[in-house]
Amino acid sequence: MNRFLTGGLLIATLAISACTNPDRLGGDDEIAGAATGNAATSAAADPASPAFFQQSVGDRVLFEVDQSTLTAAAQVTLRGQAQWLMQNNDYLAVIEGHADEQGTREYNIALGARRANAVREFLISQGVPAARLRTVSYGKERPIAVCSDESCYTQNRRAVTIISIGSLS
Amino acid sequence: MKRFLALIVAAVLAGPVWAQEPLRIEITEGVIEPLPFAVPLFQAETAGSEQLASDISRLVVQDLANTGLFREVPASAFISQISSFADPVSYPDWRAINTQALVTGAVAVTGDQLTVKFRLYDVFSGAELGDGLQFAGTVQGWRRMAHKVADAVYSRITGEQGYFDSRVVFVAESGPKDNRLKRLAIMEYDGANVQFLTDSSAIVLAPRFSPTGDRVLYTSFESGFPRINVLDVATVGRRQLTTQEGEMAFSPRFSRDARRVIYSLSNGGNTDLFMTDLTTGAHSQLTSAPSIETAPSFSPDGSQIVFESDRSGTQQLYIMDANGGEARRISFGEGRYGSPVWSPRGDLVAFTKQNAGRFHIGVMRTDGSEERLLSASFLDESPTWSPNGRVIMFTRETQGATGGPALYSVDISGRNLRQVPVSGFASDAAWGPLQP
């Protein structure tokens, strides 16, 4: 039980850091670069920009081992995502579900589908039209952290909301 | 097996009294003491075919020795030499070096045409085991002809079908762990002659052969979403299989009559099993539970399906009627069980087991009894059966940032674990049938 609580706290911390440090857009350098006014961060300063969605709102939530329930921290992030999506009506989203490597390939695809769907359902409950949200699972095929211990696994057990303008297909 | 070993020992000690006991390995219990065999260099019957004769002889030796059931008596121990395929062999010379099975052969090349013939001798009985056989093919196909000789020898000595002239379809992987490129590839069972079937532009997973080996089902992310493709091995043409509508389709497998495909479909976060009849195009839903149902595999007679489900709270194995309905749980040991595959003989189910931070490949009877673990490592998964049901190939992944998957094989006795030599990372093997 102690271990579980520690895990919960760790995940909460990481979920917050993920908001400001998304792997897809590089790291702290770009955030720190806001003052220097480079293109990437000036874009991120625009609340209607995808960069703002990824960096400030937070494009991902993390999950416990073999779970698809949304943590309190995940729900905070997703409320932000829902709000952003409702303010930016021309964006569609594909929610990617992922698993860590500790599991069989087929099961992890199914588990990623559960995680992606948990996010989708939550966004819908917050008012995002279902037609703008699709899900996909990558199972354990696309880890972002490559070590084989919990410090990486916790980052890989994730659902990432990928936004784009236009058709979902 | 013990009975057989006892006979061998007796034969060595008592000589002619036991000499009529036929050459035989009973594989059932696994072989502890491999049977000594010799393959003198096959005769080159046409000028210039010496190299091929040598290559073919070596491959016959390699096929047999790698089973762990046979042990090669090296040429350096030979007393008599074979100078002609037609001449009688000198049994005492082979008995003296304790060779129990002797394989002689000859190779002839005419243009692009290759013929390979062989004879198998039961040295202690002083008689040929079966008639001499001849195979004809092309020079390029020389490996297959060596495999056929080895299959015939294996079959005559064990009384069971061999598995050397068979192919394996698998996923060839390259690139860093966080951006792995995956392509379908096909090779001979021993890792030779790798040919790619797809490019690496989309993730591909878990290929599965049709019963005759002419087609491959696999999961592809080509569309951006997991979908089932069917690929024609000869033409490398592929098309998306029309499944029941769903967000994601994966984990397909053919029925043994190739008429039906079973697979998983995910909708609204829930994964169930479905079946599509390829002749009628009809789809049917086999399970409807809020849990994950995936990795289905038909029994050889097509009447039942083994699959995994977490309906009990963790991944476990279940068997149900091929048309759906009530399922009975068969796995009850500690840990989680996944990716079940019904054996070609019908008596066993191979599976992946996850317990106490380790992964295992194992087998159990179809009622769940006699569970036996064959391997243990950081990550073993995806078992596939040799066509004769005696060997299992599986994926073993090493850990860490530089880790990656490789293919291994192991006897169902748990003996003879060996890596299949494939250059680069390889995963998700599916072992095809013995080729005609």
Side-chain angles (χ1 to χ4, degrees), chain B residues 1-2 4-5 25-34 67-69 372 390 411-415:
Chain B
M1 184 55 218
K2 280 192 181 122
F4 173 71
L5 280 179
I25 297 179
E26 298 289 347
I27 305 176
T28 319
E29 297 304 316
V31 167
I32 298 155
E33 191 58 45
T67 63
L69 304 177
R372 192 160 73 230
R390 286 300 177 194
D411 286 7
I412 57 170
S413 63
R415 295 194 181 88

Side-chain angles (χ1 to χ4, degrees), chain A residues 3 37 43 47 56 68 99 123 136:
Chain A
R3 199 184 67 81
S56 301
S68 56
L123 294 176
V136 64

Side-chain angles (χ1 to χ4, degrees), chain B residues 396-433:
Chain B
R396 169 165 289 180
E397 186 134 5
T398 52
Q399 58 186 309
T402 57
L407 300 178
Y408 281 74
S409 66
V410 65
D411 286 7
I412 57 170
S413 63
R415 295 194 181 88
N416 202 30
L417 175 74
R418 53 178 64 236
Q419 188 173 346
V420 181
V422 180
S423 73
F425 294 139
S427 64
D428 283 6
W431 205 325

Side-chain angles (χ1 to χ4, degrees), chain A residues 66 101-107 109-111 113-114 117 134-138 140-143 146 148 153, chain B residues 177-178 180 182 205 221 224-225 247-248 251 268-269 292 310 315 336 354 378-379 381 399-401 428:
Chain A
D66 198 23
E101 69 188 355
Q102 299 170 288
T104 51
R105 202 175 306 288
E106 298 86 356
Y107 181 83
I109 297 263
L111 178 59
R114 269 184 184 161
N117 191 66
R134 281 186 83 172
T135 58
V136 64
S137 174
Y138 285 91
K140 60 176 173 178
E141 305 306 316
R142 283 287 176 263
V146 295
S148 292
Y153 294 162
Chain B
K177 192 169 177 178
D178 55 357
R180 260 307 137 69
K182 295 192 165 199
L205 304 174
F221 282 69
F225 298 84
E247 292 164 6
M248 293 167 235
S251 196
I292 289 173
D310 69 348
Q315 270 173 290
R336 307 161 59 138
Q354 210 179 331
F378 164 71
L379 210 178
E381 66 170 321
Q399 58 186 309
D428 283 6

Side-chain angles (χ1 to χ4, degrees), chain B residues 138-411:
Chain B
T138 62
V139 169
Q140 293 89 326
W142 71 269
R143 288 190 107 259
R144 283 199 57 195
M145 299 177 62
H147 291 322
K148 285 206 176 294
V149 171
D151 275 325
V153 170
Y154 178 99
S155 169
R156 287 176 185 190
I157 295 177
T158 65
E160 299 189 5
Q161 194 193 50
Y163 54 85
F164 310 119
D165 186 25
S166 62
R167 295 199 288 180
V168 169
V169 61
F170 67 102
V171 175
E173 303 191 16
S174 59
K177 192 169 177 178
D178 55 357
N179 190 23
R180 260 307 137 69
L181 299 177
K182 295 192 165 199
R183 328 170 58 172
L184 282 196
I186 193 169
M187 64 185 183
E188 293 177 34
Y189 92 102
D190 58 359
N193 284 332
V194 172
Q195 291 171 286
F196 295 107
L197 300 174
T198 66
D199 63 23
S200 57
S201 58
I203 298 173
V204 290
L205 304 174
R208 306 290 180 218
F209 267 120
S210 64
T212 57
D214 63 334
R215 283 168 294 161
V216 170
L217 288 168
Y218 63 103
T219 303
S220 170
F221 282 69
E222 223 171 337
S223 66
F225 298 84
R227 289 277 179 266
I228 297 166
N229 278 1
V230 57
L231 178 137
D232 183 287
V233 174
T235 66
V236 202
R238 64 182 195 274
R239 64 179 173 82
Q240 192 177 305
L241 188 78
T242 305
T243 62
Q244 175 80 36
E245 295 239 358
E247 292 164 6
M248 293 167 235
F250 57 99
S251 196
R253 206 182 278 274
F254 279 105
S255 61
R256 299 283 158 111
D257 63 5
R259 284 186 49 216
R260 292 166 294 167
V261 174
I262 40 175
Y263 52 93
S264 276
L265 206 65
S266 286
N267 273 315
N270 183 32
T271 301
D272 272 307
L273 298 180
F274 287 75
M275 176 154 63
T276 292
D277 188 312
L278 296 177
T279 50
T280 64
H283 312 296
S284 51
Q285 181 163 359
L286 303 178
T287 64
S288 49
S291 43
I292 289 173
E293 275 71 38
T294 190
S297 168
F298 276 107
S299 61
D301 67 1
S303 69
Q304 292 175 288
I305 292 170
V306 62
F307 63 98
E308 64 168 83
S309 167
D310 69 348
R311 59 185 63 176
S312 72
T314 60
Q315 270 173 290
Q316 299 294 337
L317 307 184
Y318 294 81
I319 288 178
M320 68 176 175
D321 189 85
N323 298 314
E326 284 293 297
R328 68 175 193 280
R329 178 170 163 181
I330 63 164
S331 61
F332 290 97
E334 277 181 50
R336 307 161 59 138
Y337 296 78
S339 54
V341 195
W342 214 303
S343 76
R345 290 159 184 268
D347 56 342
L348 296 173
V349 170
F351 55 82
T352 302
K353 175 165 172 158
Q354 210 179 331
N355 188 33
R358 302 275 283 172
F359 280 74
H360 307 270
I361 300 298
V363 292
M364 61 172 68
R365 301 195 68 81
T366 55
D367 62 2
S369 66
E370 297 179 38
E371 175 178 325
R372 192 160 73 230
L373 298 182
L374 311 179
S375 79
S377 89
F378 164 71
L379 210 178
D380 286 349
E381 66 170 321
S382 301
T384 180
W385 290 93
S386 65
N388 70 353
R390 286 300 177 194
V391 182
I392 288 171
M393 200 177 284
F394 62 94
T395 306
R396 169 165 289 180
E397 186 134 5
T398 52
Q399 58 186 309
T402 57
L407 300 178
Y408 281 74
S409 66
V410 65
D411 286 7

